[in-house]
Amino acid sequence: DDLVLEHLRRFSPFAATSVVILLASGSANALSQLPDLNALVDTAYGQVLIIKLSLMMALLLVAALNAFYLRPRLSSRSETVDSPASGGTKKSLLLRTVGVEIALAVIVLLVAAALVQYPTGRQQRDVEANEAAAAEATSFDAVQAAGNIDVQLSVSPNQVGTNSFLLYLFPPSTGEPLDVSRVRLRFESPDSSLGPSVIVADPAGENSYK
């Protein structure tokens, strides 16, 4: 028992300091990934972080109980000599609280491992901003003359990614029927090294192609 107490006396300050530094740095890093306080409750990352911080507080409380209450009293020579029954009770309590402390530490590590699987609050906010911008994006719709007919081109949603192209050909005002054999869309990339691409539009109804 004296040997165990001596090891606890030597190891406790080092362990306590290390735990505080690790928990403080980890929490500060995690909190820095939250762009606002609302992200703490309305994102999965923030909710898991709350669980982690709660477990950490419980861990620190148990560790403080061991370090500042049970261990000093077990180390007191007067208590171990004059009150063996009380000393045995505190030793038993210390063993139980050390077990709880270890269990909480393991759970904190597991929650921390789960935390990195979620997008951070900042990443979640960026996704939401992009989705909002996409929802507000307006389709491109314009009419341009091509020979003796007018061509209306509609592009939806008119943003980077997959788009839908719809063309409508207005017959000439002279009343002549349209004689269209093919409608082609030619795309040119801002990057000249990629070269142009051509897509043949499919008929989608009278005078319309997609």
Side-chain angles (χ1 to χ4, degrees):
D1 289 343
D2 292 339
L3 181 61
V4 171
L5 291 175
E6 181 63 24
H7 285 313
L8 284 174
R9 187 181 300 109
R10 294 180 178 179
F11 179 72
S12 291
F14 171 76
T17 303
S18 301
V19 168
V20 171
I21 292 176
L22 288 173
L23 295 183
S25 60
S27 300
N29 180 66
L31 290 172
S32 69
Q33 300 301 319
L34 298 174
D36 50 66
L37 289 178
N38 290 334
L40 194 61
V41 294
D42 60 14
T43 65
Y45 182 88
Q47 294 167 3
V48 176
L49 181 58
I50 289 177
I51 296 175
K52 177 186 175 183
L53 293 176
S54 301
L55 290 170
M56 286 167 47
M57 291 302 298
L59 173 60
L60 289 176
L61 289 175
V62 175
L65 174 65
N66 291 337
F68 301 111
Y69 179 77
L70 295 177
R71 185 182 60 80
R73 280 159 177 76
L74 284 176
S75 300
S76 172
R77 179 172 302 179
S78 60
E79 182 179 75
T80 57
V81 173
D82 299 336
S83 305
S86 175
T89 300
K90 286 186 171 60
K91 290 175 185 176
S92 178
L93 179 59
L94 177 62
L95 291 177
R96 288 197 297 269
T97 54
V98 167
V100 172
E101 186 176 351
I102 293 174
L104 286 173
V106 171
I107 296 175
V108 168
L109 290 176
L110 293 176
V111 173
L115 183 64
V116 299
Q117 304 301 318
Y118 292 92
T120 66
R122 293 186 183 279
Q123 292 171 335
Q124 183 66 34
R125 285 290 185 263
D126 290 342
V127 170
E128 293 172 355
N130 291 337
E131 291 177 349
E136 295 176 357
T138 57
S139 299
F140 174 84
D141 196 338
V143 178
Q144 184 172 334
N148 63 339
I149 63 174
D150 291 331
V151 179
Q152 180 183 17
L153 172 63
S154 299
V155 184
S156 178
N158 190 33
Q159 57 184 311
V160 176
T162 301
N163 287 272
S164 174
F165 298 84
L166 178 64
L167 297 98
Y168 183 81
L169 310 182
F170 293 93
S173 57
T174 57
E176 298 176 3
L178 288 176
D179 183 17
V180 179
S181 60
R182 182 182 301 172
V183 173
R184 293 184 298 178
L185 300 174
R186 187 173 188 271
F187 301 90
E188 292 188 5
S189 171
D191 187 353
S192 58
S193 64
L194 297 178
S197 60
V198 176
I199 296 178
V200 177
D202 299 321
E206 185 178 4
N207 299 332
S208 63
Y209 300 82
K210 66 178 180 180

